[in-house]
Coordinates of all heavy atoms in Angstrom, one line a residue:
M30 N -14.7 20.4 -6.9 CA -14.3 19.7 -5.7 C -14.0 20.7 -4.7 O -13.4 21.7 -4.9 CB -13.1 18.9 -6.0 CG -12.9 17.7 -5.1 SD -11.4 16.8 -5.5 CE -11.9 15.9 -6.9
N31 N -14.5 20.5 -3.4 CA -14.3 21.4 -2.3 C -12.8 21.3 -1.8 O -12.2 20.3 -1.9 CB -15.2 21.1 -1.2 CG -16.6 21.3 -1.5 OD1 -16.9 22.2 -2.4 ND2 -17.5 20.6 -0.9
E32 N -12.3 22.4 -1.3 CA -11.0 22.4 -0.7 C -11.0 21.5 0.5 O -11.9 21.5 1.3 CB -10.6 23.8 -0.3 CG -9.2 23.9 0.2 CD -8.8 25.4 0.5 OE1 -9.3 26.3 -0.2 OE2 -8.0 25.5 1.4
G33 N -10.0 20.7 0.6 CA -9.9 19.7 1.7 C -10.5 18.4 1.4 O -10.4 17.4 2.2
S34 N -11.2 18.2 0.3 CA -11.8 16.9 0.0 C -10.9 16.1 -0.8 O -10.0 16.6 -1.4 CB -13.1 17.1 -0.8 OG -12.9 17.7 -2.0
L35 N -11.0 14.8 -0.7 CA -10.2 13.9 -1.4 C -10.8 13.5 -2.8 O -12.0 13.3 -2.8 CB -10.0 12.6 -0.6 CG -9.2 12.8 0.7 CD1 -9.1 11.4 1.4 CD2 -7.8 13.3 0.4
G36 N -10.1 13.5 -3.8 CA -10.6 13.1 -5.1 C -9.9 11.9 -5.6 O -9.0 11.4 -5.0
A37 N -10.4 11.4 -6.7 CA -9.8 10.2 -7.3 C -8.5 10.6 -7.8 O -8.4 11.5 -8.6 CB -10.7 9.6 -8.3
G38 N -7.5 9.8 -7.5 CA -6.1 10.0 -8.1 C -5.8 9.0 -9.1 O -6.4 7.9 -9.1
S39 N -4.8 9.2 -9.8 CA -4.3 8.2 -10.7 C -2.8 8.3 -10.8 O -2.2 9.2 -10.4 CB -4.9 8.4 -12.1 OG -4.4 9.7 -12.7
I40 N -2.2 7.2 -11.3 CA -0.8 7.1 -11.4 C -0.5 7.6 -12.8 O -1.0 7.1 -13.8 CB -0.3 5.6 -11.2 CG1 -0.6 5.3 -9.7 CG2 1.2 5.5 -11.5 CD1 -0.3 3.8 -9.4
A41 N 0.5 8.5 -12.9 CA 0.8 9.0 -14.2 C 1.5 8.0 -15.1 O 2.2 7.1 -14.6 CB 1.8 10.2 -14.0
P42 N 1.2 8.0 -16.4 CA 1.8 7.0 -17.3 C 3.3 7.1 -17.2 O 3.9 8.2 -17.1 CB 1.3 7.4 -18.6 CG 0.1 8.2 -18.4 CD 0.3 8.9 -17.1
G43 N 4.0 5.9 -17.1 CA 5.4 5.9 -17.0 C 6.0 6.2 -15.6 O 7.2 6.3 -15.5
K44 N 5.1 6.3 -14.6 CA 5.6 6.6 -13.2 C 5.1 5.5 -12.3 O 4.4 5.7 -11.3 CB 5.0 7.9 -12.8 CG 5.3 9.1 -13.7 CD 6.7 9.5 -13.4 CE 7.0 10.8 -14.2 NZ 8.3 11.3 -14.1
P45 N 5.5 4.2 -12.5 CA 5.0 3.1 -11.6 C 5.4 3.3 -10.2 O 4.8 2.8 -9.3 CB 5.7 1.9 -12.2 CG 6.8 2.4 -13.0 CD 6.5 3.7 -13.4
M46 N 6.5 4.0 -9.9 CA 6.9 4.1 -8.5 C 6.0 5.0 -7.6 O 6.2 5.2 -6.5 CB 8.4 4.5 -8.4 CG 9.3 3.4 -8.7 SD 9.0 1.8 -8.0 CE 9.2 2.2 -6.3
Q47 N 5.0 5.6 -8.3 CA 4.0 6.4 -7.5 C 3.2 5.4 -6.6 O 2.6 5.9 -5.7 CB 3.1 7.2 -8.4 CG 3.9 8.4 -9.1 CD 3.0 9.2 -10.0 OE1 1.9 8.8 -10.3 NE2 3.5 10.3 -10.4
N48 N 3.3 4.2 -6.9 CA 2.6 3.2 -6.0 C 3.5 1.9 -6.0 O 3.3 0.9 -6.6 CB 1.2 2.8 -6.6 CG 0.4 2.1 -5.5 OD1 1.0 1.5 -4.5 ND2 -0.9 2.0 -5.7
G49 N 4.6 2.0 -5.2 CA 5.6 1.0 -5.2 C 5.1 -0.3 -4.6 O 5.5 -1.4 -5.0
F50 N 4.1 -0.3 -3.7 CA 3.5 -1.5 -3.1 C 2.9 -2.3 -4.2 O 3.1 -3.5 -4.3 CB 2.5 -1.1 -2.0 CG 1.8 -2.3 -1.4 CD1 2.5 -3.1 -0.5 CD2 0.5 -2.7 -1.8 CE1 1.8 -4.2 0.1 CE2 -0.1 -3.8 -1.3 CZ 0.6 -4.5 -0.4
V51 N 2.1 -1.7 -5.1 CA 1.4 -2.5 -6.1 C 2.5 -3.0 -7.1 O 2.4 -4.1 -7.6 CB 0.4 -1.6 -6.8 CG1 -0.1 -2.3 -8.1 CG2 -0.7 -1.3 -5.9
E52 N 3.5 -2.2 -7.4 CA 4.5 -2.7 -8.4 C 5.3 -3.8 -7.8 O 5.6 -4.8 -8.5 CB 5.4 -1.5 -8.7 CG 4.8 -0.5 -9.6 CD 4.3 -1.0 -10.9 OE1 5.0 -1.8 -11.6 OE2 3.2 -0.7 -11.3
S53 N 5.6 -3.8 -6.5 CA 6.3 -4.9 -5.8 C 5.4 -6.2 -5.9 O 5.9 -7.3 -6.2 CB 6.6 -4.5 -4.4 OG 7.1 -5.6 -3.7
F54 N 4.1 -6.0 -5.6 CA 3.2 -7.2 -5.7 C 3.2 -7.7 -7.1 O 3.2 -8.9 -7.3 CB 1.8 -6.8 -5.2 CG 0.8 -7.9 -5.5 CD1 0.7 -9.0 -4.6 CD2 0.0 -7.8 -6.6 CE1 -0.2 -9.9 -4.9 CE2 -1.0 -8.8 -6.8 CZ -1.1 -9.9 -6.0
N55 N 3.0 -6.9 -8.1 CA 2.9 -7.3 -9.5 C 4.2 -8.1 -9.9 O 4.1 -9.1 -10.6 CB 2.7 -6.1 -10.4 CG 1.3 -5.6 -10.3 OD1 0.4 -6.2 -9.7 ND2 1.1 -4.4 -10.8
G56 N 5.3 -7.5 -9.5 CA 6.6 -8.2 -9.8 C 6.7 -9.6 -9.2 O 7.2 -10.5 -9.8
R57 N 6.4 -9.6 -7.9 CA 6.4 -10.9 -7.2 C 5.5 -11.9 -7.8 O 5.8 -13.1 -8.0 CB 6.2 -10.7 -5.7 CG 6.5 -11.9 -4.9 CD 6.6 -11.6 -3.5 NE 7.5 -10.5 -3.2 CZ 8.7 -10.7 -2.7 NH1 9.1 -11.9 -2.4 NH2 9.5 -9.7 -2.5
M58 N 4.2 -11.5 -8.1 CA 3.2 -12.4 -8.7 C 3.7 -12.9 -10.1 O 3.6 -14.1 -10.4 CB 1.9 -11.6 -8.9 CG 0.9 -12.4 -9.6 SD 0.2 -13.8 -8.6 CE -1.3 -13.1 -8.1
R59 N 4.3 -12.0 -10.8 CA 4.8 -12.4 -12.1 C 6.0 -13.4 -12.0 O 6.0 -14.4 -12.7 CB 5.3 -11.1 -12.9 CG 5.7 -11.3 -14.3 CD 6.1 -10.0 -15.1 NE 6.7 -9.0 -14.3 CZ 6.0 -7.9 -13.8 NH1 4.7 -7.8 -14.0 NH2 6.6 -7.0 -13.1
D60 N 6.9 -13.1 -11.1 CA 8.1 -14.0 -10.9 C 7.7 -15.4 -10.3 O 8.2 -16.4 -10.7 CB 9.1 -13.4 -10.0 CG 9.8 -12.2 -10.6 OD1 9.7 -12.0 -11.9 OD2 10.4 -11.4 -9.9
D61 N 6.8 -15.4 -9.3 CA 6.5 -16.6 -8.6 C 5.4 -17.4 -9.3 O 5.3 -18.6 -9.0 CB 6.0 -16.3 -7.2 CG 7.1 -15.7 -6.3 OD1 8.2 -15.8 -6.7 OD2 6.8 -15.3 -5.2
L62 N 4.6 -16.8 -10.1 CA 3.5 -17.6 -10.7 C 3.3 -17.5 -12.2 O 3.4 -18.5 -12.9 CB 2.2 -17.1 -10.0 CG 0.9 -17.9 -10.4 CD1 1.0 -19.3 -9.8 CD2 -0.3 -17.2 -9.9
L63 N 3.2 -16.3 -12.7 CA 2.8 -16.1 -14.1 C 3.9 -16.5 -15.1 O 3.6 -17.0 -16.1 CB 2.4 -14.6 -14.3 CG 1.2 -14.1 -13.5 CD1 1.0 -12.7 -13.7 CD2 0.0 -15.0 -13.7
N64 N 5.2 -16.3 -14.7 CA 6.2 -16.7 -15.7 C 6.5 -18.2 -15.7 O 7.1 -18.7 -16.6 CB 7.5 -16.0 -15.3 CG 7.5 -14.5 -15.6 OD1 6.7 -14.1 -16.4 ND2 8.5 -13.8 -15.1
E65 N 6.0 -18.9 -14.7 CA 6.3 -20.4 -14.6 C 5.1 -21.3 -14.8 O 5.2 -22.5 -14.8 CB 6.8 -20.6 -13.2 CG 8.1 -19.9 -12.9 CD 8.5 -20.1 -11.4 OE1 7.8 -20.8 -10.7 OE2 9.6 -19.6 -11.1
T66 N 3.9 -20.7 -14.9 CA 2.7 -21.5 -14.8 C 1.8 -21.4 -16.0 O 1.6 -20.3 -16.5 CB 1.8 -21.1 -13.5 OG1 2.7 -21.1 -12.4 CG2 0.7 -22.1 -13.3
L67 N 1.3 -22.5 -16.5 CA 0.2 -22.5 -17.5 C -1.1 -22.7 -16.9 O -1.3 -23.5 -16.0 CB 0.5 -23.7 -18.5 CG 1.7 -23.6 -19.4 CD1 1.9 -24.8 -20.2 CD2 1.7 -22.3 -20.3
F68 N -2.1 -21.9 -17.3 CA -3.4 -22.0 -16.8 C -4.3 -22.6 -17.9 O -4.3 -22.1 -19.0 CB -4.0 -20.7 -16.4 CG -3.2 -20.0 -15.3 CD1 -2.4 -18.9 -15.7 CD2 -3.2 -20.4 -14.0 CE1 -1.7 -18.2 -14.7 CE2 -2.4 -19.8 -13.1 CZ -1.6 -18.7 -13.4
F69 N -5.0 -23.7 -17.6 CA -5.8 -24.3 -18.7 C -7.2 -23.9 -18.7 O -7.8 -23.7 -19.8 CB -5.6 -25.8 -18.5 CG -4.2 -26.3 -18.7 CD1 -3.5 -26.7 -17.6 CD2 -3.6 -26.4 -19.9 CE1 -2.2 -27.1 -17.7 CE2 -2.3 -26.8 -20.1 CZ -1.6 -27.1 -19.0
V70 N -7.8 -23.7 -17.5 CA -9.1 -23.1 -17.4 C -9.2 -22.2 -16.2 O -8.2 -22.1 -15.4 CB -10.2 -24.3 -17.2 CG1 -10.3 -25.2 -18.5 CG2 -9.9 -25.1 -16.0
L71 N -10.3 -21.4 -16.1 CA -10.4 -20.4 -15.0 C -10.3 -21.1 -13.7 O -9.6 -20.5 -12.8 CB -11.7 -19.7 -15.2 CG -11.9 -18.5 -14.2 CD1 -10.8 -17.5 -14.4 CD2 -13.2 -17.8 -14.5
D72 N -10.9 -22.2 -13.4 CA -10.8 -22.9 -12.1 C -9.4 -23.3 -11.8 O -9.0 -23.3 -10.6 CB -11.7 -24.1 -12.1 CG -13.2 -23.7 -12.0 OD1 -13.5 -22.6 -11.5 OD2 -14.0 -24.6 -12.4
D73 N -8.6 -23.7 -12.8 CA -7.2 -24.1 -12.6 C -6.4 -22.8 -12.2 O -5.6 -22.9 -11.2 CB -6.6 -24.6 -13.9 CG -5.2 -25.0 -13.8 OD1 -4.8 -25.6 -12.8 OD2 -4.4 -24.7 -14.8
A74 N -6.7 -21.7 -12.8 CA -6.0 -20.4 -12.4 C -6.3 -20.1 -11.0 O -5.5 -19.7 -10.2 CB -6.4 -19.3 -13.4
R75 N -7.6 -20.2 -10.6 CA -8.0 -19.8 -9.3 C -7.4 -20.7 -8.2 O -6.9 -20.2 -7.2 CB -9.5 -20.0 -9.2 CG -10.3 -18.9 -9.9 CD -11.8 -19.0 -9.7 NE -12.5 -17.9 -10.4 CZ -13.6 -18.0 -11.0 NH1 -14.3 -19.2 -11.0 NH2 -14.2 -17.0 -11.5
A76 N -7.3 -22.0 -8.5 CA -6.6 -22.9 -7.6 C -5.1 -22.6 -7.4 O -4.6 -22.6 -6.3 CB -6.8 -24.4 -8.0
K77 N -4.4 -22.3 -8.5 CA -3.0 -22.0 -8.4 C -2.8 -20.7 -7.7 O -1.8 -20.6 -7.0 CB -2.4 -22.1 -9.8 CG -2.4 -23.5 -10.4 CD -1.9 -23.6 -11.8 CE -1.8 -25.0 -12.3 NZ -1.5 -25.1 -13.7
I78 N -3.6 -19.7 -8.0 CA -3.4 -18.4 -7.3 C -3.7 -18.6 -5.8 O -3.0 -18.0 -5.0 CB -4.3 -17.4 -7.9 CG1 -3.8 -17.1 -9.3 CG2 -4.4 -16.1 -7.1 CD1 -4.8 -16.2 -10.2
A79 N -4.7 -19.4 -5.4 CA -5.0 -19.6 -4.0 C -3.9 -20.3 -3.3 O -3.5 -20.0 -2.2 CB -6.3 -20.5 -3.9
A80 N -3.2 -21.3 -4.0 CA -2.1 -21.9 -3.4 C -0.9 -21.0 -3.2 O -0.2 -21.0 -2.2 CB -1.6 -23.1 -4.3
L81 N -0.7 -20.0 -4.1 CA 0.3 -19.0 -4.0 C 0.0 -18.1 -2.8 O 0.9 -17.8 -2.0 CB 0.5 -18.2 -5.3 CG 1.5 -17.0 -5.1 CD1 2.9 -17.6 -5.1 CD2 1.3 -16.0 -6.3
V82 N -1.2 -17.7 -2.7 CA -1.6 -16.8 -1.5 C -1.4 -17.6 -0.2 O -0.9 -17.0 0.7 CB -3.1 -16.4 -1.7 CG1 -3.6 -15.7 -0.4 CG2 -3.2 -15.4 -2.9
A83 N -1.8 -18.8 -0.2 CA -1.6 -19.6 1.1 C -0.1 -19.7 1.4 O 0.3 -19.6 2.6 CB -2.2 -21.0 0.9
D84 N 0.7 -19.9 0.4 CA 2.2 -20.0 0.6 C 2.7 -18.7 1.1 O 3.5 -18.6 2.1 CB 2.9 -20.4 -0.6 CG 4.4 -20.5 -0.5 OD1 4.8 -21.3 0.4 OD2 5.1 -19.8 -1.2
Q85 N 2.3 -17.6 0.5 CA 2.8 -16.3 0.9 C 2.4 -15.9 2.3 O 3.1 -15.3 3.1 CB 2.2 -15.2 -0.1 CG 2.9 -15.2 -1.4 CD 4.3 -14.6 -1.4 OE1 4.6 -13.8 -0.6 NE2 5.1 -15.1 -2.3
N86 N 1.1 -16.2 2.7 CA 0.6 -15.8 4.0 C 0.8 -16.8 5.1 O 0.7 -16.4 6.3 CB -0.9 -15.5 3.8 CG -1.2 -14.3 3.0 OD1 -0.3 -13.5 2.8 ND2 -2.4 -14.2 2.4
G87 N 1.1 -18.0 4.8 CA 1.3 -19.0 5.8 C 2.6 -19.7 5.9 O 3.0 -20.1 7.0
Q88 N 3.4 -19.8 4.9 CA 4.6 -20.6 4.9 C 5.9 -19.7 4.7 O 6.9 -20.1 5.3 CB 4.6 -21.6 3.8 CG 3.4 -22.6 3.9 CD 3.4 -23.4 5.2 OE1 4.4 -23.9 5.6 NE2 2.2 -23.6 5.8
R89 N 5.8 -18.7 3.9 CA 7.0 -17.9 3.6 C 7.2 -16.8 4.6 O 6.4 -16.0 4.8 CB 6.8 -17.4 2.2 CG 8.1 -16.8 1.6 CD 7.9 -16.3 0.2 NE 7.7 -17.5 -0.7 CZ 7.6 -17.4 -2.0 NH1 7.7 -16.3 -2.6 NH2 7.5 -18.5 -2.7
P90 N 8.5 -16.7 5.1 CA 8.8 -15.6 6.0 C 8.9 -14.3 5.3 O 9.3 -14.3 4.1 CB 10.1 -16.1 6.7 CG 10.6 -17.2 5.9 CD 9.5 -17.7 5.0
H91 N 8.6 -13.2 5.9 CA 8.7 -11.9 5.3 C 9.7 -11.1 6.1 O 9.7 -11.0 7.3 CB 7.4 -11.2 5.4 CG 6.3 -11.9 4.5 ND1 5.9 -11.4 3.3 CD2 5.6 -13.0 4.7 CE1 5.0 -12.2 2.8 NE2 4.8 -13.2 3.6
S92 N 10.6 -10.4 5.4 CA 11.7 -9.6 6.0 C 11.1 -8.4 6.8 O 11.6 -8.1 7.9 CB 12.6 -9.0 5.0 OG 12.0 -8.2 4.1
T93 N 10.0 -7.9 6.4 CA 9.3 -6.8 7.1 C 8.7 -7.2 8.4 O 8.3 -6.4 9.2 CB 8.3 -6.0 6.3 OG1 7.3 -7.0 5.9 CG2 8.9 -5.4 5.1
L94 N 8.5 -8.5 8.6 CA 8.0 -9.0 9.8 C 9.0 -9.7 10.7 O 8.7 -10.6 11.5 CB 6.8 -10.0 9.5 CG 5.7 -9.5 8.7 CD1 4.7 -10.6 8.4 CD2 5.0 -8.3 9.4
G95 N 10.3 -9.3 10.5 CA 11.4 -9.9 11.3 C 11.6 -11.3 10.9 O 12.0 -12.2 11.7
Y96 N 11.4 -11.6 9.6 CA 11.6 -13.0 9.0 C 10.7 -14.0 9.7 O 11.1 -15.2 9.8 CB 13.1 -13.4 9.0 CG 13.9 -12.5 8.1 CD1 14.6 -11.4 8.6 CD2 13.9 -12.7 6.8 CE1 15.3 -10.5 7.8 CE2 14.6 -11.9 5.9 CZ 15.3 -10.8 6.4 OH 15.9 -9.9 5.6
L97 N 9.5 -13.6 10.1 CA 8.5 -14.5 10.5 C 7.4 -14.7 9.4 O 7.3 -13.8 8.6 CB 7.8 -14.0 11.8 CG 8.7 -13.9 13.0 CD1 7.9 -13.1 14.1 CD2 9.1 -15.2 13.5
T98 N 6.7 -15.7 9.5 CA 5.5 -15.8 8.6 C 4.5 -14.9 9.1 O 4.5 -14.5 10.3 CB 5.0 -17.3 8.6 OG1 4.5 -17.6 9.9 CG2 6.0 -18.3 8.1
P99 N 3.5 -14.4 8.3 CA 2.5 -13.6 8.8 C 1.7 -14.2 10.0 O 1.3 -13.5 10.9 CB 1.6 -13.3 7.6 CG 2.5 -13.4 6.4 CD 3.5 -14.5 6.8
A100 N 1.4 -15.5 9.9 CA 0.7 -16.2 11.0 C 1.5 -16.2 12.3 O 0.9 -15.9 13.4 CB 0.3 -17.6 10.6
A101 N 2.8 -16.4 12.2 CA 3.6 -16.4 13.4 C 3.7 -15.0 14.0 O 3.7 -14.8 15.2 CB 5.0 -17.0 13.1
Y102 N 3.8 -14.0 13.1 CA 3.9 -12.6 13.6 C 2.6 -12.2 14.3 O 2.6 -11.6 15.4 CB 4.2 -11.7 12.5 CG 4.4 -10.2 12.9 CD1 5.5 -9.8 13.6 CD2 3.4 -9.3 12.7 CE1 5.7 -8.5 14.0 CE2 3.5 -8.0 13.2 CZ 4.7 -7.6 13.8 OH 4.8 -6.3 14.3
A103 N 1.5 -12.6 13.7 CA 0.2 -12.3 14.3 C 0.1 -13.0 15.7 O -0.5 -12.4 16.6 CB -1.0 -12.7 13.4
A104 N 0.6 -14.2 15.8 CA 0.5 -14.9 17.1 C 1.3 -14.1 18.2 O 0.9 -14.1 19.4 CB 1.0 -16.3 17.0
T105 N 2.4 -13.4 17.8 CA 3.2 -12.7 18.8 C 2.4 -11.4 19.3 O 2.6 -11.0 20.4 CB 4.5 -12.2 18.2 OG1 4.3 -11.2 17.2 CG2 5.4 -13.4 17.7
L106 N 1.5 -11.0 18.4 CA 0.7 -9.8 18.8 C -0.4 -10.1 19.7 O -0.9 -9.2 20.4 CB 0.2 -9.1 17.6 CG 1.2 -8.6 16.6 CD1 0.6 -8.0 15.3 CD2 2.1 -7.6 17.2
T107 N -0.9 -11.4 19.7 CA -2.1 -11.7 20.5 C -1.8 -12.8 21.5 O -2.7 -13.3 22.1 CB -3.2 -12.2 19.5 OG1 -2.7 -13.4 18.8 CG2 -3.6 -11.2 18.6
A108 N -0.5 -13.1 21.8 CA -0.2 -14.1 22.8 C -0.6 -13.7 24.2 O -0.1 -12.6 24.6 CB 1.2 -14.5 22.7
P109 N -1.4 -14.4 24.9 CA -1.7 -14.0 26.3 C -0.5 -14.1 27.2 O 0.3 -15.0 27.1 CB -2.8 -15.0 26.7 CG -2.7 -16.1 25.8 CD -2.0 -15.7 24.6
H110 N -0.4 -13.2 28.1 CA 0.8 -13.2 29.1 C 0.3 -12.5 30.4 O 0.1 -11.3 30.4 CB 1.9 -12.4 28.5 CG 3.1 -12.3 29.4 ND1 3.8 -13.4 29.8 CD2 3.7 -11.2 30.0 CE1 4.8 -13.0 30.6 NE2 4.7 -11.7 30.7
G111 N 0.1 -13.3 31.4 CA -0.3 -12.8 32.7 C -1.6 -12.1 32.7 O -1.8 -11.1 33.4
G112 N -2.5 -12.6 31.9 CA -3.8 -11.9 31.9 C -3.9 -10.7 30.9 O -5.0 -10.2 30.7
Q113 N -2.8 -10.3 30.4 CA -2.7 -9.2 29.4 C -2.2 -9.7 28.1 O -1.6 -10.8 28.0 CB -1.9 -8.1 29.9 CG -2.3 -7.5 31.2 CD -1.4 -6.3 31.6 OE1 -0.5 -6.0 30.9 NE2 -1.7 -5.8 32.8
H114 N -2.3 -9.0 27.1 CA -1.8 -9.3 25.8 C -0.3 -8.8 25.7 O 0.0 -7.7 26.1 CB -2.6 -8.7 24.6 CG -3.9 -9.3 24.5 ND1 -4.1 -10.6 24.1 CD2 -5.1 -8.8 24.8 CE1 -5.4 -10.9 24.1 NE2 -6.0 -9.8 24.5
A115 N 0.6 -9.7 25.3 CA 2.0 -9.4 25.2 C 2.3 -9.2 23.7 O 1.8 -9.9 22.9 CB 2.8 -10.4 25.8
R116 N 3.2 -8.3 23.5 CA 3.6 -8.1 22.1 C 5.0 -8.6 22.0 O 5.9 -8.2 22.7 CB 3.6 -6.6 21.8 CG 4.0 -6.3 20.3 CD 3.6 -4.8 20.0 NE 3.8 -4.7 18.6 CZ 4.7 -3.9 18.1 NH1 5.5 -3.1 18.8 NH2 4.8 -3.8 16.8
G117 N 5.2 -9.6 21.1 CA 6.5 -10.2 20.9 C 7.4 -9.2 20.2 O 7.0 -8.4 19.3
L118 N 8.7 -9.1 20.6 CA 9.7 -8.2 20.1 C 10.4 -8.9 18.9 O 11.1 -9.8 19.1 CB 10.6 -7.8 21.2 CG 11.5 -6.6 20.9 CD1 10.6 -5.3 20.6 CD2 12.5 -6.3 22.0
T119 N 10.2 -8.4 17.7 CA 10.8 -9.0 16.5 C 12.0 -8.1 16.1 O 12.2 -7.0 16.7 CB 9.8 -9.1 15.4 OG1 9.5 -7.8 15.0 CG2 8.6 -9.9 15.8
A120 N 12.7 -8.5 15.1 CA 13.8 -7.7 14.6 C 13.3 -6.4 14.1 O 14.0 -5.3 14.3 CB 14.5 -8.5 13.4
L121 N 12.1 -6.3 13.6 CA 11.5 -5.1 13.1 C 11.3 -4.1 14.3 O 11.6 -3.0 14.2 CB 10.2 -5.3 12.4 CG 9.4 -4.1 11.9 CD1 10.2 -3.4 10.8 CD2 8.1 -4.5 11.4
D122 N 10.8 -4.6 15.4 CA 10.5 -3.8 16.6 C 11.8 -3.3 17.1 O 11.9 -2.2 17.6 CB 9.8 -4.6 17.6 CG 8.4 -5.0 17.2 OD1 7.8 -4.2 16.5 OD2 8.0 -6.1 17.6
K123 N 12.9 -4.1 17.1 CA 14.2 -3.7 17.7 C 14.7 -2.5 17.0 O 15.4 -1.7 17.5 CB 15.2 -4.9 17.7 CG 14.8 -6.0 18.6 CD 15.7 -7.1 18.5 CE 15.3 -8.3 19.4 NZ 16.1 -9.5 19.1
K124 N 14.4 -2.4 15.7 CA 14.9 -1.3 14.9 C 14.1 0.0 15.2 O 14.7 1.1 15.1 CB 14.8 -1.5 13.4 CG 15.7 -2.6 12.8 CD 15.4 -2.8 11.4 CE 16.1 -4.0 10.8 NZ 15.7 -4.2 9.4
T125 N 12.8 -0.2 15.5 CA 12.0 1.0 15.6 C 11.6 1.4 17.1 O 11.0 2.4 17.3 CB 10.7 0.8 14.8 OG1 10.0 -0.3 15.4 CG2 11.0 0.6 13.4
T126 N 12.0 0.6 18.1 CA 11.6 0.9 19.4 C 12.8 0.7 20.3 O 13.8 0.0 20.0 CB 10.5 0.0 20.0 OG1 11.0 -1.3 20.0 CG2 9.3 0.1 19.2
A127 N 12.8 1.3 21.5 CA 13.9 1.2 22.5 C 13.8 -0.1 23.2 O 14.7 -0.5 23.8 CB 13.8 2.4 23.4
G128 N 12.7 -0.8 23.2 CA 12.5 -2.0 23.9 C 11.1 -2.4 24.1 O 10.2 -1.6 23.6
P129 N 10.8 -3.5 24.8 CA 9.4 -3.9 24.9 C 8.6 -2.9 25.8 O 9.2 -2.3 26.7 CB 9.4 -5.2 25.6 CG 10.8 -5.3 26.2 CD 11.7 -4.4 25.4
R130 N 7.3 -2.7 25.5 CA 6.5 -1.8 26.3 C 6.1 -2.5 27.6 O 5.9 -3.7 27.7 CB 5.3 -1.5 25.5 CG 5.5 -0.7 24.3 CD 4.3 -0.4 23.6 NE 4.6 0.1 22.2 CZ 3.7 0.2 21.3 NH1 2.4 -0.1 21.5 NH2 4.0 0.7 20.1
K131 N 6.0 -1.7 28.6 CA 5.5 -2.2 29.9 C 4.0 -2.0 30.0 O 3.5 -0.9 29.7 CB 6.2 -1.4 31.1 CG 7.7 -1.7 31.1 CD 8.3 -1.0 32.3 CE 9.8 -1.3 32.3 NZ 10.5 -0.7 33.4
H132 N 3.3 -3.0 30.4 CA 1.8 -2.9 30.5 C 1.5 -2.5 31.9 O 2.0 -2.9 32.8 CB 1.2 -4.3 30.2 CG 1.4 -4.7 28.8 ND1 0.7 -4.2 27.7 CD2 2.3 -5.6 28.2 CE1 1.1 -4.8 26.6 NE2 2.1 -5.6 26.9
R133 N 0.5 -1.6 32.0 CA 0.0 -1.1 33.3 C -1.3 -1.8 33.6 O -2.1 -2.1 32.9 CB -0.2 0.4 33.3 CG 1.1 1.1 33.1 CD 0.9 2.5 33.1 NE 2.2 3.2 32.8 CZ 2.4 4.4 32.9 NH1 1.4 5.2 33.2 NH2 3.6 4.9 32.6

């Protein structure tokens, strides 16, 4: 491998926190679906997983998005305002910015 090139990496056995995002997803999927649901056929599993994804992405608020649903947060990013796009200021933005940006 050349210096500066990226190679395939792996997570060391017994070190799940090397990829906390995946571990968080796996735990939530296990708690919200796998521990409570019986799957009878593959199509049944697909339908139940699709319903969970729709709930997660459309109905359930997320703390990292200022307790908005992903769809509501996306709408704040693309809402037209005076011919320009305005960015809604959420609780997340208030923590990381000094205030709303001024458009030129």
Side-chain angles (χ1 to χ4, degrees):
M30 203 180 285
N31 294 335
E32 186 175 328
S34 66
L35 296 176
S39 63
I40 296 172
K44 304 281 186 180
M46 286 314 295
Q47 289 180 348
N48 194 343
F50 178 78
V51 170
E52 289 301 313
S53 175
F54 170 79
N55 289 343
R57 191 166 304 257
M58 175 72 103
R59 186 173 34 260
D60 292 342
D61 291 350
L62 185 70
L63 300 177
N64 287 345
E65 302 175 353
T66 308
L67 292 175
F68 303 109
F69 298 104
V70 294
L71 186 57
D72 287 336
D73 181 42
R75 287 180 177 147
K77 290 175 180 174
I78 292 168
L81 176 73
V82 168
D84 179 58
Q85 288 285 330
N86 292 337
Q88 303 298 319
R89 190 175 292 188
H91 295 256
S92 62
T93 58
L94 300 178
Y96 294 96
L97 295 172
T98 64
Y102 184 75
T105 67
L106 299 176
T107 59
H110 178 64
Q113 297 181 7
H114 292 290
R116 183 167 189 244
L118 193 62
T119 66
L121 177 64
D122 295 325
K123 290 175 187 174
K124 290 179 192 173
T125 59
T126 64
R130 295 180 191 167
K131 294 182 181 179
H132 295 282
R133 293 182 185 184

